[in-house]
Amino acid sequence: MKFFIDTANLEQIKEAQALGILDGVTTNPSLMAKEGITGEVNIINHYKAICELVDGDVSAEVIATDFDGMVKEGEALAALNPQIVVKLPMIKDGVKACKYFSSKGIKTNVTLVFSAGQALLAAKAGATYVSPFIGRLDDISTDGMNLIEEIRLIYDNYGFETEILAASVRHTMHIINCAKLGADVMTGPLSAIEGLLKHPLTDSGLAKFLADYQKGN
Ligand code: E4P
């Protein structure tokens, strides 16, 4: 299972990278704005900075919502660095753009996916990644995990190579459940990733080992 961090915060990206378990980064316009990164030039420079910090794939989202605009923006983003994955919204022109990029060998991430039908279309269009937003489904009292399960079944039925990138992960249990259901990738905040580290028996066990060592020395 690949671990992506879902942030545009360079410090958090560095911290996750230093842990040695990071496989990539996802961003979106809201995450960029949260870090105060605005304007085309700053955004482009920020993507470049992120690519320098990590080895893996970095999703960069297009702003255009029409086919020609998405192609123009996506090609410019992809030219920045081979690590860039063009992130496209799950709308009609997004599907067309996905097909365009996949036929040119440019990596894509189809985002804002909330149903199995949308995920099926993304796979048909040759998406590298499909991003079902599990946390946002949970937010409206719909079990996000069911969607991961459905997509896994459909993709396995037909051998689709599109990777299921569980997005909108909010906490540690989301990661565990995604792993159980066979999501290929998860993207979440640093807090959810670091949450995997924690267990009170680890802490108390380590404290006892250290105390016992001190007694003998
Ligand atoms: C996915 O790529 C999105 O950036 C992200 O996971 C959305 O998460 P949110 O629902 O917590 O905003």
Side-chain angles (χ1 to χ4, degrees):
M1 186 189 200
K2 291 186 204 166
F3 274 28
F4 289 177
I5 187 166
D6 195 31
T7 185
N9 182 293
L10 298 183
E11 287 312 310
Q12 290 188 13
I13 294 170
K14 272 186 216 163
E15 221 172 310
Q17 176 68 19
L19 202 52
I21 49 78
L22 194 66
D23 299 297
V25 179
T26 51
T27 62
N28 65 39
S30 306
L31 292 170
M32 283 286 186
K34 193 174 161 198
E35 299 306 319
I37 314 297
T38 54
E40 208 180 318
V41 175
N42 291 334
I43 290 173
I44 294 290
N45 287 336
H46 206 70
Y47 285 136
K48 288 185 188 165
I50 293 174
C51 289
E52 277 173 25
L53 291 179
V54 297
D55 301 322
D57 286 347
V58 174
S59 286
E61 190 159 339
V62 299
I63 303 301
T65 53
D66 64 295
F67 175 79
D68 290 337
M70 286 187 210
V71 165
K72 193 171 164 224
E73 251 186 83
E75 281 181 337
L77 289 168
L80 293 177
N81 190 300
Q83 288 168 260
I84 293 285
V85 176
V86 180
K87 201 172 179 188
L88 301 158
M90 171 38 79
I91 55 177
K92 204 184 239 185
D93 280 19
V95 173
K96 288 183 195 168
C98 179
K99 182 70 191 175
Y100 171 87
F101 285 119
S102 60
S103 66
K104 292 206 169 298
I106 292 174
K107 288 178 284 186
T108 52
N109 174 358
V110 175
T111 190
L112 290 166
V113 165
F114 294 95
S115 76
Q118 290 178 325
L120 181 54
L121 270 181
K124 289 284 293 171
T128 313
Y129 298 105
V130 64
S131 287
F133 277 35
I134 57 178
R136 291 192 195 185
L137 282 170
D138 289 356
D139 288 345
I140 58 159
S141 310
T142 304
D143 188 358
M145 287 307 151
N146 284 343
L147 179 56
I148 301 293
E149 202 170 4
E150 280 184 308
I151 301 173
R152 181 75 284 154
L153 176 69
I154 291 169
Y155 282 12
D156 288 350
N157 278 348
Y158 296 98
F160 284 122
E161 285 177 8
T162 299
E163 292 189 50
I164 303 173
L165 196 176
S168 187
V169 159
R170 303 277 172 74
H171 50 72
T172 303
M173 279 314 292
H174 272 154
I175 303 178
I176 303 288
N177 287 329
C178 282
K180 284 185 187 170
L181 293 172
D184 301 287
V185 192
M186 79 82 204
T187 190
L190 185 60
S191 59
I193 297 172
E194 289 189 338
L196 294 171
L197 279 168
K198 294 176 193 150
H199 199 287
L201 290 179
T202 303
D203 297 339
S204 61
L206 181 61
K208 173 121 177 57
F209 286 156
L210 295 178
D212 288 345
Y213 172 83
Q214 290 302 338
K215 276 186 222 160
N217 285 281

